[in-house]
């Protein structure tokens, strides 16, 4: 049954990649080795957890194995082709079909209750503006000491350094695996200092283009 599900997930994922390669970005779901690294720092007390781009639920299952209650999971999935299978596999989780770039405006939680955000999003195929919006929105909900976990197929952190600096964040590589298709690395992204959300807009300049995005400002000491 496990092998049958894995084959079904691969075919489902592969068809989604064929339909929209920039949005899906990989030809196969993430493997168990990568899922273990992505969730290695997560404990049951870290719930609730937000997962961005769960796809077929590989990281979701790893979170459950780490002791996170299914009721403490909020799964944010943009692709309609994955929603039905996620609802069937994780009936007690909250599943929202939406663009992760709109997290800050979605008001999915009150305050900052989330211990971690796990991201399976293909950041390398996204614009700097969208990456910044996703990170800024995620940290609206992440409590002090929490972190954003992101994997990448590239040689370095997929969040550009200017975005990290502007949002007051830092990235630390926590591991990698060659037992994934393709090989991947995992980064923990966390606050450098205590931050608070600012509703003001700031100008972020990248590639000669000025962009307005919601940002964080350093809290007063």
């Amino acid at each position: 049954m496990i092998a049958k599900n894995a084959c079904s997930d691969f075919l489902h994922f592969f068809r989604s990649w064929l339909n929209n390669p920039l949005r899906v970005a990989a030809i196969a779901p993430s493997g168990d080795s990568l899922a273990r690294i992505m969730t290695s720092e997560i404990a049951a007390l870290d719930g609730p957890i937000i997962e961005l781009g769960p796809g077929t639920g590989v990281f979701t299952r790893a979170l459950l194995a780490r002791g996170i209650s299914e009721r403490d999971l909020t799964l944010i999935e943009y692709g309609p082709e994955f929603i039905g299978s996620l609802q069937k596999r994780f009936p007690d989780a909250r599943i929202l079909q939406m663009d992760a770039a709109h997290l800050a405006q979605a008001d999915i939680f009150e305050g900052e209750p989330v211990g971690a955000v796990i991201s399976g999003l293909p950041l390398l195929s996204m614009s700097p503006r969208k990456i910044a919006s996703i990170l800024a929105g995620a940290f609206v909900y992440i409590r002090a000491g929490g972190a954003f976990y992101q994997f990448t197929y590239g040689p370095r952190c997929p969040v550009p350094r200017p975005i990290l600096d502007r949002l007051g964040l830092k990235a630390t590589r926590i591991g990698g695996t060659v037992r994934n298709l393709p090989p991947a690395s995992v980064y923990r992204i966390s606050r450098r200092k205590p931050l608070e959300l600012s509703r003001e807009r700031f100008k972020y300049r990248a590639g000669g283009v000025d962009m307005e995005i919601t940002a964080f400002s350093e809290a007063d000491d």
Side-chain angles (χ1 to χ4, degrees), residues 16-69:
S16 298
W17 176 79
L18 288 175
N19 289 332
N20 197 329
L22 287 180
R23 175 165 60 81
V24 178
I27 64 172
S30 299
D32 291 339
S33 177
L34 176 58
R36 284 193 294 271
I37 299 172
M38 280 285 285
T39 59
S40 62
E41 297 186 346
I42 306 297
L45 293 178
D46 291 325
I49 304 292
I50 295 174
E51 184 180 354
L52 306 179
T56 59
V58 175
F59 296 160
T60 315
R61 290 191 293 271
L63 287 168
L64 296 176
R66 297 288 299 176
I68 301 296
S69 169

